Amino acid sequence: MAATHLRRPRTRRTRSLGAAACAATAALVAVEVRRVRRRGRAATPSHERVRGGRIAAREKVEVVRAGYRAGSANETAVLNLFVAFGTTFAVARAVTHSIRRGAGPWRNIEIGRRHIHHFVPGIALALLSGGLSIGLRHEQVDHWLALPFGAGAALIVDETALLVELNDVYWSDKGVLSIDVSFGTITGLACLTLLVRLIRRGEAAVRVS
């Protein structure tokens, strides 16, 4: 009974954090889509649309590229950080599930009798990319370094419970802490990206006025 009572608040918390992460991500995607459309070119003429979907697809790719490049260095860096973190977290969870089920080509990495958890390469990625960003101090490079930094951070955060408990509790009830922290981080990064967008718009409006 005690275990059941403990699981219920954890389940509610995880669902709430997951819902917040989904809502924040949806809001960010909506803002990005709107911004990209504004940066896009005029609609393709009807007689060209009849020729097939290749022109429309090419148009969309060009619009997305233009909208991505139009952002400031800070906007692009935060967006890359968010995308890298969320994608890596999802992939890490999928791979670990595959390993646990014994399906697919993935296997645990072991050196001798020691199991190498994925927070180890995560630490290496975060330290390397963060160190390069601090050392180079170049805006054109920072937004690319945000990708490995976000990926490394996701690998670390996905095993928060292991680091807190100092034990392999990834698949236990205590391991849910890793999911909660990851959902919270995704929500925070999405909100941060939206905030950077809002600040830039505010600065642009003040300059115009």
Side-chain angles (χ1 to χ4, degrees), residues 42-166:
T44 308
S46 57
H47 66 279
E48 291 185 355
R49 291 178 184 173
V50 178
R51 293 168 54 187
R54 289 188 301 174
I55 295 177
R58 196 182 310 121
E59 280 285 317
K60 291 179 180 178
V61 171
E62 291 176 1
V63 168
V64 170
R65 287 179 179 176
Y68 178 80
R69 293 171 182 172
S72 66
N74 289 339
E75 288 177 311
T76 306
V78 177
L79 178 62
N80 286 352
L81 179 62
F82 167 79
V83 172
F85 186 97
T87 302
T88 304
F89 168 69
V91 171
R93 280 283 155 176
V95 170
T96 51
H97 274 285
S98 175
I99 293 174
R100 192 186 188 199
R101 291 168 49 201
W106 309 103
R107 295 294 181 269
N108 288 325
I109 299 175
E110 296 181 354
I111 299 178
R113 296 182 179 180
R114 191 178 298 276
H115 176 202
I116 305 302
H117 292 277
H118 52 266
F119 71 79
V120 176
I123 292 173
L125 271 176
L127 286 176
L128 181 61
S129 55
L132 284 174
S133 177
I134 294 172
L136 296 176
R137 293 182 178 276
H138 199 290
E139 286 188 350
Q140 298 302 320
V141 178
D142 280 346
H143 69 273
W144 292 117
L145 290 174
L147 292 170
F149 185 84
L155 294 176
I156 298 170
V157 172
D158 186 45
E159 295 198 312
T160 299
L162 279 75
L163 298 172
V164 171
E165 299 292 336
L166 296 180

Side-chain angles (χ1 to χ4, degrees), residues 162-182:
L162 279 75
L163 298 172
V164 171
E165 299 292 336
L166 296 180
N167 194 13
D168 192 351
V169 294
Y170 193 84
W171 296 111
S172 69
D173 289 340
K174 293 181 179 179
V176 177
L177 175 64
S178 298
I179 300 177
D180 293 345
V181 175
S182 297

